[in-house]
Amino acid sequence: ENPFKSNKLWKGCQDGELEEAMDALERRILADEQVYKCIVSNMGQSWEQMDASFEKKRFCLQFLQPSHLDVKKSHAVHPAMTLSSKVLDRMDDVRAPQEKLECVFRSARLIFRMLNEAAAISNSEAASADDFLPLFIFVVLRSRVTRVHSSIEYISLFRRPPRLGGERHYYLVQLQTAVT
């Protein structure tokens, strides 16, 4: 980032503008099909093996019902769960790390909103991680995302560290937990 701040073209920019420019540059470079293919082809076989291993686990766990994870039936059949799964599936369609992270974030937020709405209706406490994680595991198991481990590693390696924090990072960690 220092080269940007010291460059005469960027000297008068506010920090927010500089962050947006860095995000745009990251998105532009890493979303390029040739760059992405080059990165993925050089990621190593361990990531491919982890993806294949997870696919095998997911296939073996297709018998799981919501009750096996202590998920209420009303939550399991809620439209937000299907939408959350579809949003997560989109991770295979995007290339930039922030776009992949955004898929994780939106998928998780749909679940948390559903939980909080249900809590508000029943006048109970707001949703917690203990309520969220079983539902997220269920969504991940029902999703069709094929390169989940590779995507997690790709985000971790190529998302700029200052922008990999807060709520989005929390949900990425929850995804890592769900696939292990």
Side-chain angles (χ1 to χ4, degrees), residues 72 74-75 78 110-128 131-132 135:
K72 293 179 185 175
S74 61
H75 290 155
H78 195 281
L110 283 165
I111 296 169
F112 249 114
R113 280 192 195 124
M114 176 199 65
L115 287 170
N116 284 328
E117 287 172 7
I121 291 169
S122 65
N123 291 325
S124 58
E125 291 183 25
S128 69
D131 302 320
F132 167 76
L135 286 166

Side-chain angles (χ1 to χ4, degrees), residues 151-165:
S151 293
I152 291 168
E153 291 300 320
Y154 180 76
I155 293 166
S156 299
L157 288 173
F158 293 101
R159 185 65 176 132
R160 291 182 319 108
R163 301 299 268 188
L164 186 61

Side-chain angles (χ1 to χ4, degrees), residues 3-156:
F4 271 83
K5 287 182 179 180
S6 62
N7 187 292
K8 63 182 177 185
L9 295 173
W10 297 96
K11 270 193 178 175
C13 287
Q14 301 292 324
D15 286 341
E17 293 172 321
L18 192 57
E19 286 296 320
E20 286 180 30
M22 294 291 289
D23 283 346
L25 182 62
E26 176 185 294
R27 186 178 308 111
R28 177 71 178 135
I29 292 170
L30 295 172
D32 181 79
E33 188 173 349
Q34 290 177 332
V35 171
Y36 181 75
K37 283 181 180 178
C38 182
I39 290 170
V40 170
S41 67
N42 289 302
M43 284 175 128
Q45 289 185 339
S46 65
W47 290 5
E48 290 175 17
Q49 290 169 345
M50 289 170 62
D51 285 338
S53 174
F54 178 70
E55 283 299 309
K56 200 178 289 185
K57 275 187 209 175
R58 181 168 38 197
F59 178 76
C60 291
L61 294 172
Q62 287 302 304
F63 72 91
L64 281 178
Q65 296 299 314
S67 60
H68 293 126
L69 297 170
D70 291 331
V71 172
K72 293 179 185 175
K73 186 167 177 86
S74 61
H75 290 155
V77 298
H78 195 281
M81 296 292 283
T82 303
L83 185 56
S84 178
S85 180
K86 288 181 180 180
V87 170
L88 194 61
D89 289 346
R90 207 169 163 279
M91 268 183 32
D92 283 343
D93 300 332
V94 296
R95 295 186 198 106
Q98 66 259 51
E99 291 171 342
K100 289 181 177 288
L101 185 58
E102 195 64 22
C103 292
V104 175
F105 174 73
R106 288 180 179 169
S107 174
R109 289 292 295 168
L110 283 165
I111 296 169
F112 249 114
R113 280 192 195 124
M114 176 199 65
L115 287 170
N116 284 328
E117 287 172 7
I121 291 169
S122 65
N123 291 325
S124 58
E125 291 183 25
S128 69
D130 291 338
D131 302 320
F132 167 76
L133 189 58
L135 286 166
F136 198 47
I137 290 170
F138 190 71
V139 164
V140 171
L141 289 174
R142 295 293 185 247
S143 73
R144 292 189 177 105
V145 63
T146 57
R147 294 180 301 272
V148 68
H149 278 286
S150 297
S151 293
I152 291 168
E153 291 300 320
Y154 180 76
I155 293 166
S156 299

